[in-house]
Amino acid sequence: MPPVQHFDVSDAESGQKLLQFLQRRLGNVPRSLLMRLVRKGQVRVDGGRKKPFDRVSAGQVVRVPPIRLDDVPAPSADGPALPVAYEEDGVVVIVKPAGLPVQPGTGHADAVTERLKAQYAGAAFTPTPAHRLDRDTSGLLACGATYAALRHLQEAFQNHTLGKYYLCWTEGACEAGTRLTMRDTMERSGAPGREKVRTGSGKDAHARALSLYTDGAVTLFCVRLFTGRMHQIRVQLAGRGYPLVGDGKYGTPRGNQRMLLHAWALAWDDTFVRRDPDWAGRFAVGGHVPDDVRELDM
């Protein structure tokens, strides 16, 4: 029989809901089982009963009864550690490769969250993504290494005090210096894994785009997002005649050419973090991007 477990709530974990705390500490235990244990009073905080959504504080002790999970495999990370572009004051910015999902799902156990668990094994609070990137999008992903930092990042994204900037190559020519203000309503439909987004109804989607360079056939854009809708950049640029290079869903496939969309920079307060994409040959960004996003006036 597994033993009773006692967990001390650390400063990094303080402020979480009890259910969140248990999910992070126990990893692969189903949420439904945790809810049941808390509601039956089998989980105790400082010796007393709590509700699943009560918050825990630093210094409290959480008692968890024996849990047997013989048939639940432990999550594992199959890939290498993720490069870290910035790490300070509880904020960790990692570089996500294209093709790696942020969360595990059907058909793909390897994910950013699983690699972070392995990369920061033993940490009081595993760095947790504060926003999402599509599976085929590469680039910067901001994570909170404490619960307080995670909430601060999420609020900054919601309040637009943290700027997100993307680079992408599109089909078609758009003269360098052209600015596009893109506002649409968007909604998605279709079966999981085959979802497609359409404009004309749904939630508000707002972004600005600036053409940085064109060779007459393809154009390099920088896009600042103000909302985070599924496939937003792909849909909004395609709807204006500039589908992303390699995007077979909203444009025209180019053989084995992968989609060229990269989360290039994050900017907040006096901090500016950037990571240029590793695109080569014709699609190398070279000297087409500025050293500081503030030069773009977006």
Side-chain angles (χ1 to χ4, degrees):
M1 173 69 68
V4 171
Q5 300 181 79
H6 293 85
F7 299 113
D8 294 325
V9 180
S10 67
D11 290 338
E13 297 169 303
S14 183
Q16 291 183 92
K17 295 172 184 176
L18 176 58
L19 181 62
Q20 291 177 311
F21 174 85
L22 293 171
Q23 287 178 301
R24 293 179 186 279
R25 281 298 189 109
L26 299 173
N28 59 331
V29 179
R31 173 187 170 99
S32 58
L33 174 56
L34 293 175
M35 290 281 285
R36 187 163 65 249
L37 292 174
V38 175
R39 285 172 172 164
K40 287 184 175 182
Q42 292 178 271
V43 172
R44 298 278 176 151
V45 179
D46 285 346
R49 297 182 63 144
K50 292 288 184 180
K51 296 178 181 177
F53 303 112
D54 288 344
R55 297 188 182 275
V56 296
S57 301
Q60 290 184 317
V61 178
V62 179
R63 176 196 179 276
V64 179
I67 298 175
R68 185 184 294 279
L69 291 170
D70 295 334
D71 299 325
V72 180
S76 62
D78 299 326
L82 298 164
V84 176
Y86 175 89
E87 189 167 6
E88 192 172 326
D89 297 329
V91 175
V92 177
V93 179
I94 60 96
V95 184
K96 186 187 88 66
L100 181 70
V102 173
Q103 302 282 350
T106 304
H108 51 267
D110 189 17
V112 168
T113 53
E114 303 311 304
R115 293 199 194 183
L116 287 173
K117 289 176 186 176
Q119 195 166 334
Y120 288 85
F125 188 93
T126 302
T128 302
H131 58 118
R132 300 287 297 245
L133 291 179
D134 288 343
R135 181 175 181 173
D136 293 327
T137 302
S138 60
L140 300 179
L141 184 67
C143 307
T146 67
Y147 181 69
L150 176 62
R151 292 294 301 138
H152 179 72
L153 284 171
Q154 291 171 335
E155 290 169 1
F157 280 121
Q158 293 169 0
N159 298 330
H160 311 307
T161 56
L162 195 159
K164 296 185 291 184
Y165 300 83
Y166 292 71
L167 295 176
C168 60
W169 282 98
T170 72
E171 304 287 356
C174 184
E175 183 179 358
T178 300
R179 298 176 184 273
L180 305 174
T181 296
M182 303 186 292
R183 295 206 78 135
D184 299 284
T185 52
M186 300 172 60
E187 64 179 352
R188 60 184 179 181
S189 60
R194 298 185 179 181
E195 294 167 309
K196 196 164 185 177
V197 176
R198 293 177 174 81
T199 59
S201 62
K203 296 181 179 180
D204 179 60
H206 180 203
R208 294 176 188 162
L210 172 65
S211 170
L212 300 177
Y213 169 80
T214 183
D215 66 3
V218 293
T219 298
L220 177 65
F221 277 99
C222 180
V223 180
R224 180 176 183 182
L225 279 184
F226 294 95
T227 54
R229 309 302 177 205
M230 179 180 178
H231 300 170
Q232 181 176 338
I233 293 174
R234 299 162 64 183
V235 171
Q236 290 193 299
L237 283 174
R240 288 157 177 81
Y242 303 107
L244 269 62
V245 168
D247 186 357
K249 186 181 288 281
Y250 300 105
T252 303
R254 279 185 171 230
N256 294 325
Q257 174 64 58
R258 68 179 176 89
M259 187 176 68
L260 300 179
L261 177 60
H262 180 80
W264 170 59
L266 295 171
W268 70 96
D269 299 329
D270 295 325
T271 303
F272 175 57
V273 184
R274 65 173 277 185
R275 181 62 63 96
D276 290 351
D278 59 1
W279 302 330
R282 178 185 187 183
F283 298 114
V285 298
H288 303 311
V289 297
D291 293 329
D292 193 320
V293 73
R294 285 167 288 198
E295 297 175 26
L296 298 176
D297 188 26
M298 297 182 72

